[in-house]
Amino acid sequence: MVVMVAVYGSVRLVDGGSRCAGRVEVLHRGQWGTVCGDDWDMSDAAVVCRELGCGEAVNALGKSHFGSGSGPIWMDDVDCSGSESRLKNCRSPVWGKHDCNETHNSGVICSGARLVLGSRCSGRVEVLHGESWATVCDADFNQQDAEVVCRELGCGSPVEILGAAAFGRGEGLVWSEELQCRGNESQIHFCPKSSSLKHNCSHDNDVGLVCSGSVRLVDGDSRCAGRVEVLYRGQWGSVCGNNWDMRDAAVVCRELGCGEAVDTYHESYFGSGSGPIWMDNVHCSGSESTLRNCESAGWGKHNCDHSKDAGVICSGVRVVGGSHCSGRVEVLHGESWVTVCDADFNQQDAEVVCRELGCGSLVEVLGAAAFGRGEGQVWSEKLQCRGTESQIHFCPKSSSLKHNCSHDNDVGLVCADSVRLVDGGSRCAGRVEVLHRGQWGTVCDDYWDMRDAAVVCRELGCGEAIDAPRRARFGSGSGPIWVEYANCAGSESSLKNCRSYDWGRQRCNHDEDAGAVCAEVRLVGRSHCSGRVEVLHGESWVTVCDADFNQQDAEVVCRELGCGSPVEVLGAAAFGRGKGQVWPEELQCRGNESQIHFCPKSSSLKHNCSHDNYVGLVCADSVRLVDGGHRCAGRVEVFYNRTWRSVCGKNWDIRDAAVVCRELGCGEAVFKNVQFGPRSAWMDDVNCSGSESSVKHCRSAGWVEQICNRLAGVICSGVRLVGRSRCSGRVEVLHGESWVTVCDADFDQQGAEVVCRELGCGSPVEVLGAAAFGRGEGQVWSEELQCRGTESQIHFCPKSSSLKHNCSHDNDVGLVCSGHTQARLMNGSDSCSGRVELQYLSEWGTVCDVSWDMRAASVLCAQLKCGSSVAVLGSDWFGEGSGRIWADVFDCQGNETHLLKCPISSWSRTACSHKQDAGVICSGSSLASHEGGVRLSGGM
């Protein structure tokens, strides 16, 4: 038996009959080995299929479905999120460590066909032909072919075959053979094919297909509501409601081409199913294309009965172009979304739409395409809702419209939000209440934090979250407690989209009601604590006239934003000209108010202001770095409750440091460190994603004063290179609050040594004058740098009181540091393979293979412009190094552009010996083709 095995980088599928199906094998240290099937699921399979350039994963198999492999078992307990580009980037224990045997090898079936431009189960048919996707001619595709495609995709049976490019014209190849499927094949790959086509087809003849789908909603009176059922191995079964939530429901609604998920049920609300219970403990991230790709206990594995069958209500209507609760009205008509004519939409229709979307009561109906002109069809019937229906689907409809409408007449709608803040004195502060099933209820404060509050503030169109109060600070609510543990990531558009425990199931009382305080003012232009002043006026942000803003107003704004005291009030649009309205009243703050909302206001302005008169404000920051020699380095302290306290250093990493540096308007975080206490501290166990505008918005153990023994510290760069990459560009130095350029006549080799060192970019390669990286803006540095070349930061260099030269931006200096060569691969066949060596503090050292994985290798290969990582190898490949061993260094995700973007845990741990030096082969190496191959064949 001859088996063709396609090898792409470091993963392959073997003994499955095609390159897109088979036992999973990975290449590690030059040897192919298997992957244990323990906890192997569709998220893991999806990564393999993506890496191989196959279609979607249609099955994840264990127990050596494709036979037992030989050689090492390289991976066990693989845990992919599903979004990784490579299997080796998924989380798993140390390579080669497992509690598995060859009878538990994992397998994958990927689709060799896909449907494009419709939904997962409908669209233009494309078939994998070699390395490319090819369309299929409508004249050469029949019912039997359709049966196979739908079966392969796990999409039930064919509903309709559509010709004449019904799902749009494809690109590239048209399939060059005629499919002659019998209809019982499991994959299109197994269908007989003729050597040529009967017809000469173009993309105008691309065939489309509608399959019944692999998920359905039943007993809910419409195809977008009901009990969730999934198709597996040709049989429909239900889904257990254990831990079923809005993220899971969102995947179902998207897969069905319905609107947003508006409600979930978990106790057979739509009746008990019969037959198997296919899924239990479903855990979707919300971004999956199909419910089958979400984590679960495994097909048919459950601790459930049909009294807990999961249900979903998706909206058959959506609003587009505004927010979650406002926009252009579009109704689901068959498989398509159609707009509605303003002349055929009234108060009663609007009330139903707001109710169906889970929003509050109707605010306004707007005609004349107020939210923009839609595309496609206009709804062809007149809605005749009574106003009491739960969904637009249940409204009576006339057979024809009274009016001949175009997209110029698309109707828009504004509903009240589905979240509100109560008893806080304004709509942007108070007790959090959510609307669910027509009733307002509260949120329990268990684990309630700034990320949760941030979602509420965003949903309400308020400013940033500035506090997340607990313990019913705004009074105890009444009625149901809808949410116990919101568990928001902070990026959700609605609180209802956060992963929470079952709605209405809680162990709280109203003494634990959560609150949120959002800012009704913001500073736009520089940082969280400096910029153009904008105030929330009704639903809109308006600017403030410099003539009507004084020191007392500034005190309130800085206080509300959680920044320190005012540093400077700047007029004449110092932070740029705004847009829209100017604040129509004069602020008359006394200076002691907690929020701008509480300041007295006059009925009119004294002055007639234009956009040239907008006021700007610089507040002291809400975070600072102390005892580090300058404002961009030192121990981290945060301002809270009018007091500065340190931050505990438990789990403090480079992502947390990056947020601090950004908030301070310093450069990049170049180092995070931990100092020793004991000292009084506010925050502990800080966990930033890295994108927050303030460290106060990061997840932490909470604002509790405590004595801490390990204190967080940061070193930010006071210099940056602008124009090409992180390690090359125009030199800019932080001078006070501003970045200024440097004159080429006043910058030498010693200065370059310091800049490259400070940025962690190796040594200088070239100093370039005459604005080689473009002309900067703003000021030119007003002193001459006189670095000795040994300083750790530009801040520590001596400076003269004046420049020798009169420079303009035509003389801005540029610098190229070695940067990407501060890491290198040694003793390989070329610069893209070899033993990993890193330069730190001017010293080269090796890396222990215990602490080096494929994620770090992926970053290194990209940094070296060597493609992607093919293999991580031990010292037996590239020999033992000498000197320092930089072990336990990087915690990369795999998508960073530079190793220094990865969190750094420690630079110098010497528990390893040089017998454990790590090596890497990148795809750009001459070894890569030898290791990975393009196509190998062999006997079995």
Side-chain angles (χ1 to χ4, degrees), residues 4-274:
M4 296 298 292
V5 179
V7 180
Y8 293 80
S10 57
V11 69
R12 65 185 183 186
L13 297 176
V14 182
D15 295 343
S18 80
R19 80 171 189 86
C20 293
R23 180 177 65 254
V24 181
E25 295 192 352
V26 289
L27 180 68
H28 182 59
R29 294 185 176 173
Q31 186 175 5
W32 287 99
T34 58
V35 176
C36 185
D38 291 350
D39 298 322
W40 184 256
D41 61 21
M42 289 293 284
S43 297
D44 310 320
V47 175
V48 172
C49 294
R50 182 183 305 113
E51 184 172 357
L52 288 172
C54 296
E56 288 203 355
V58 294
N59 214 343
L61 301 158
K63 296 185 178 179
S64 299
H65 180 87
F66 294 103
S68 300
S70 58
I73 298 173
W74 280 133
M75 302 179 78
D76 190 7
D77 294 323
V78 175
D79 181 20
C80 303
S81 68
S83 61
E84 295 86 355
S85 60
R86 298 168 66 85
L87 184 67
K88 286 191 172 183
N89 292 346
C90 298
R91 295 197 179 276
S92 70
V94 176
W95 286 87
K97 291 190 176 180
H98 63 88
D99 55 359
C100 201
N101 59 55
E102 286 78 5
T103 63
H104 287 82
N105 291 157
S106 62
V108 170
I109 298 175
C110 314
S111 64
R114 67 184 184 186
L115 299 175
V116 180
L117 277 187
S119 65
R120 202 186 71 83
C121 291
S122 64
R124 180 176 65 248
V125 179
E126 296 191 356
V127 179
L128 191 60
H129 181 60
E131 301 303 310
S132 303
W133 290 95
T135 59
V136 178
C137 180
D138 52 13
D140 296 294
F141 190 86
N142 60 22
Q143 181 70 20
Q144 288 75 25
D145 305 329
E147 293 277 352
V148 176
V149 171
C150 292
R151 179 181 299 112
E152 178 167 0
L153 294 175
C155 284
S157 55
V159 173
E160 191 174 11
I161 299 172
L162 300 165
F167 287 97
R169 301 174 75 256
E171 298 180 355
L173 292 173
V174 177
W175 180 260
S176 59
E177 301 170 303
E178 184 186 0
L179 292 167
Q180 297 176 329
C181 301
R182 295 180 294 271
N184 57 2
E185 294 89 350
S186 60
Q187 289 188 271
I188 204 81
H189 167 81
F190 298 121
C191 291
K193 302 162 189 80
S194 72
S195 58
S196 62
L197 292 169
K198 296 177 184 174
H199 307 88
N200 185 12
C201 286
S202 73
H203 286 301
D204 293 327
N205 307 106
D206 287 343
V207 74
L209 174 63
V210 178
C211 307
S212 60
S214 60
V215 66
R216 66 185 183 186
L217 298 176
V218 298
D219 295 340
D221 295 325
S222 82
R223 78 173 190 86
C224 292
R227 181 177 64 256
V228 182
E229 294 192 350
V230 288
L231 183 66
Y232 181 65
R233 293 184 177 174
Q235 187 175 5
W236 288 98
S238 58
V239 175
C240 183
N242 290 335
N243 299 320
W244 183 255
D245 65 19
M246 289 291 284
R247 297 196 191 189
D248 309 322
V251 173
V252 171
C253 294
R254 183 185 308 113
E255 184 172 0
L256 288 171
C258 295
E260 287 198 359
V262 294
D263 210 349
T264 61
Y265 298 89
H266 41 71
E267 291 186 342
S268 299
Y269 179 86
F270 294 102
S272 298
S274 58

Side-chain angles (χ1 to χ4, degrees), residues 491-541:
S491 58
E492 294 86 353
S493 60
S494 170
L495 188 67
K496 285 190 169 184
N497 292 344
C498 297
R499 179 168 295 284
S500 58
Y501 292 154
D502 292 340
W503 285 76
R505 289 188 176 187
Q506 42 73 31
R507 295 175 293 277
C508 285
N509 58 58
H510 285 297
D511 292 337
E512 299 171 88
D513 285 345
V517 179
C518 315
E520 296 185 60
V521 64
R522 65 185 183 186
L523 298 177
V524 179
R526 181 183 292 168
S527 70
H528 172 69
C529 291
S530 63
R532 183 178 61 250
V533 179
E534 296 189 358
V535 180
L536 190 61
H537 181 60
E539 301 296 315
S540 304
W541 290 96

Side-chain angles (χ1 to χ4, degrees), residues 921-938:
I921 298 174
C922 304
S923 61
S925 167
S926 60
L927 275 177
S929 59
H930 172 74
E931 288 301 321
V934 175
R935 187 171 296 276
L936 305 176
S937 63

Side-chain angles (χ1 to χ4, degrees), residues 665-667 717-720 732-734 737-741 777 779:
C666 294
S717 62
V719 66
R720 65 185 183 186
E732 296 190 357
V733 179
L734 190 60
E737 299 297 316
S738 304
W739 290 95
V740 299
T741 59
E777 298 180 355
Q779 289 180 289

